[in-house]
């Protein structure tokens, strides 16, 4: 059975549709599509600038107010699809950055990328609702940046994750043992990675070193490809999941040059064909690609391209 989606092009159940020979191998050897700054499909222009921004940016936003935030919005949004839409499209890895909102009472946590996004709890509920109707789909939730968060905020978020997902949360185990068959048997559907010492000792919060995501930090597609190749060649020594961030990162001068057009129009669209060509040339498996992330995952056939790489792991079925 091929890994290509059925049902009118939807990838809502692609993991559950995989050939049994693939569901028995470690998940770290499968190709999994992911999104970069997964939550940034909506940001709030009217909220304060986030604490993830440098002081100079916060100062400019204070002076120019809504005008500055409109420019920030063009560069902060890296996705158009909601979590539910991303899940339907086949995205299974989510890159998550979170913050408390300074000056707000209580411990509420929001997504953040320059500007504040939705409440974390609301989006987690959306993900859980999808999982409730797609029992064989597995998601990676990677909480890799935390801003303006004290101990009580971390406790609030970790408790929230356990409240929302309950028995769906996969306990920390040897990465090599995590197969789809294993997860289905245990009825686990969510692997949470929490890059902060506050989660140490919690058996349901995987440490960040189990899912390294090296970052090229470049606007040059050629340099990005070289970086992806180099870091992929080094993944074996970590014995973990691995994220290939197939993304370009704007610098200050990039934003100044293209401030009206924004990230998508100025940087992403023209480079996506090069990035997609690199993806098509990859193979999962031992020392191969695992999780691959992209901006604006719907602009090209990104999710399908990544998912179909798993066909390369199927045994040859030549007609005799």
């Amino acid at each position: 059975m091929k890994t290509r989606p059925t049902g009118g092009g939807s990838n809502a159940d692609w993991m559950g549709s995989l050939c049994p020979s693939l569901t028995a191998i470690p998940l770290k050897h499968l190709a999994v599509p992911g999104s970069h700054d997964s939550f940034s499909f909506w940001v709030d222009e009217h909220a304060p600038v986030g604490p993830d921004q440098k002081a100079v940016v916060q100062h400019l936003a204070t002076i120019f107010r809504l005008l500055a935030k409109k420019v920030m919005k063009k560069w902060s949004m890296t996705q158009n699809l909601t979590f539910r839409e991303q899940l339907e499209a086949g995205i299974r890895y989510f890159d998550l950055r979170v913050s408390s909102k300074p000056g707000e009472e209580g411990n509420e946590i929001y997504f953040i990328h320059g500007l504040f996004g939705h409440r974390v709890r609301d989006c987690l509920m959306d993900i859980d609702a999808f999982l409730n109707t797609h029992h064989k789909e597995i998601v990676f939730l990677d909480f890799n940046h935390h801003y303006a968060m004290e101990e009580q905020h971390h406790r609030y978020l970790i408790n929230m994750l356990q409240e929302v997902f309950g028995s769906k949360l996969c306990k920390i185990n040897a990465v090599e043992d995590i197969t789809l068959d294993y997860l289905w048997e245990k009825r686990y559907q969510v692997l949470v990675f929490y890059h902060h010492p506050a989660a140490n000792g919690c058996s349901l919060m995987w440490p960040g070193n189990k899912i390294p995501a090296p970052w090229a930090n470049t606007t040059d597609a050629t340099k990005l490809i070289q970086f992806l190749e180099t870091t992929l060649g080094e993944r074996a020594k970590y014995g973990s999941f691995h994220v290939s961030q197939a993304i370009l990162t704007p610098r200050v001068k990039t934003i100044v040059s293209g401030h009206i057009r924004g990230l998508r129009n100025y940087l992403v669209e023209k480079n996506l064909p090069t990035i997609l060509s690199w993806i098509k040339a990859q193979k999962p498996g031992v020392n191969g690609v695992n999780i691959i992330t992209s901006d604006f995952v719907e602009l090209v056939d990104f999710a399908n391209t990544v998912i179909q790489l798993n066909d390369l792991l199927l045994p040859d079925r030549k007609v005799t």
Side-chain angles (χ1 to χ4, degrees), residues 285-300:
V286 178
N287 301 329
V289 291
N290 180 203
I291 297 160
I292 306 175
T293 60
S294 175
D295 291 321
F296 301 106
V297 294
E298 82 289 351
L299 291 186
V300 292

Side-chain angles (χ1 to χ4, degrees), residues 2 22 24 33 41 47 55 83 86 108 110 144 171 182 193 199 210-211 215 225 232 239-240 259 275 288:
K2 291 289 187 178
L22 299 181
F41 49 87
F83 279 114
Q86 290 181 47
E108 202 58 70
Y110 297 82
N144 49 61
K171 295 178 181 177
Y182 167 82
F193 297 84
K210 294 300 181 183
I211 194 160
W215 176 40
I225 300 305
L232 203 53
S240 60
H259 70 279
I275 293 171

Side-chain angles (χ1 to χ4, degrees), residues 35-103:
S35 55
H36 170 237
D37 283 322
S38 310
F39 51 86
S40 63
F41 49 87
W42 181 84
V43 291
D44 187 358
E45 297 175 25
H46 300 286
V49 171
D52 60 331
Q53 294 300 295
K54 294 179 180 177
V56 64
V57 175
Q58 299 195 28
H59 179 63
L60 288 171
T62 302
I63 296 172
F64 295 104
R65 299 179 182 263
L66 195 57
L67 177 62
K69 290 180 185 177
K70 285 185 180 297
V71 173
M72 286 185 69
K73 181 177 179 178
K74 286 177 176 286
W75 294 89
S76 294
M77 294 180 69
T78 66
Q79 304 297 333
N80 289 323
L81 303 184
T82 65
F83 279 114
R84 178 79 192 207
E85 290 167 339
Q86 290 181 47
L87 286 161
E88 296 277 359
I91 300 302
R92 294 294 177 268
Y93 166 91
F94 297 101
D95 164 31
L96 307 172
R97 295 113 194 270
V98 295
S99 177
S100 69
K101 194 174 286 186

Side-chain angles (χ1 to χ4, degrees), residues 69-320:
K69 290 180 185 177
K70 285 185 180 297
V71 173
M72 286 185 69
K73 181 177 179 178
K74 286 177 176 286
W75 294 89
S76 294
M77 294 180 69
T78 66
Q79 304 297 333
N80 289 323
L81 303 184
T82 65
F83 279 114
R84 178 79 192 207
E85 290 167 339
Q86 290 181 47
L87 286 161
E88 296 277 359
I91 300 302
R92 294 294 177 268
Y93 166 91
F94 297 101
D95 164 31
L96 307 172
R97 295 113 194 270
V98 295
S99 177
S100 69
K101 194 174 286 186
E104 181 177 283
E105 292 186 9
N107 297 318
E108 202 58 70
I109 305 297
Y110 297 82
F111 290 116
I112 191 166
H113 189 218
L115 298 170
F116 284 96
H118 286 295
R119 287 199 320 166
V120 171
R121 182 182 294 274
D122 296 336
C123 294
L124 296 183
M125 297 286 283
D126 288 344
I127 294 171
D128 188 60
F130 173 86
L131 296 175
N132 284 337
T133 55
H134 301 274
H135 301 292
K136 288 193 167 184
E137 301 308 295
I138 311 301
V139 297
F140 297 81
L141 304 183
D142 191 1
F143 288 86
N144 49 61
H145 287 73
H146 305 81
Y147 299 97
M149 288 178 62
E150 304 294 338
E151 182 183 346
Q152 69 269 21
H153 296 110
H154 286 287
R155 190 163 57 245
Y156 177 82
L157 177 54
I158 292 169
N159 287 340
M160 180 199 305
L161 286 160
Q162 295 180 65
E163 288 170 13
V164 172
F165 295 115
S167 61
K168 294 186 183 76
L169 289 172
C170 177
K171 295 178 181 177
I172 299 171
N173 200 345
V175 174
E176 198 70 34
D177 293 338
I178 304 298
T179 65
L180 287 173
D181 287 343
Y182 167 82
L183 294 166
W184 294 343
E185 179 189 351
K186 299 286 187 180
R187 298 187 178 181
Y188 294 149
Q189 288 184 272
V190 183
L191 286 85
V192 174
F193 297 84
Y194 204 94
H195 299 237
H196 193 278
N200 291 354
C202 178
S203 64
L204 299 171
M205 301 290 115
W206 290 63
N209 62 12
K210 294 300 181 183
I211 194 160
W215 176 40
N217 192 17
T218 181
T219 59
D220 186 315
T222 302
K223 290 181 179 177
L224 170 64
I225 300 305
Q226 292 172 345
F227 179 85
L228 291 172
E229 291 286 351
T230 299
T231 52
L232 203 53
E234 297 170 348
R235 73 164 291 204
K237 65 185 179 185
Y238 296 106
S240 60
F241 299 105
H242 179 83
V243 181
S244 296
Q245 295 199 68
I247 60 166
L248 295 169
T249 304
R251 304 191 188 286
V252 172
K253 65 180 181 181
T254 316
I255 297 173
V256 170
S257 302
H259 70 279
I260 300 299
R261 296 172 65 191
L263 178 69
R264 172 178 169 174
N265 295 332
Y266 190 78
L267 192 61
V268 174
E269 286 183 339
K270 66 182 179 182
N271 289 293
L272 271 177
T274 302
I275 293 171
L276 198 66
S277 294
W278 178 81
I279 294 172
K280 288 178 178 177
Q282 300 311 301
K283 182 179 179 180
V286 178
N287 301 329
V289 291
N290 180 203
I291 297 160
I292 306 175
T293 60
S294 175
D295 291 321
F296 301 106
V297 294
E298 82 289 351
L299 291 186
V300 292
D301 203 19
F302 170 72
N304 277 337
T305 301
V306 176
I307 292 167
Q308 289 170 12
L309 292 177
N310 291 306
D311 288 349
L312 300 173
L313 297 176
L314 294 172
D316 288 335
R317 299 184 182 183
K318 296 178 180 178
V319 178
T320 57

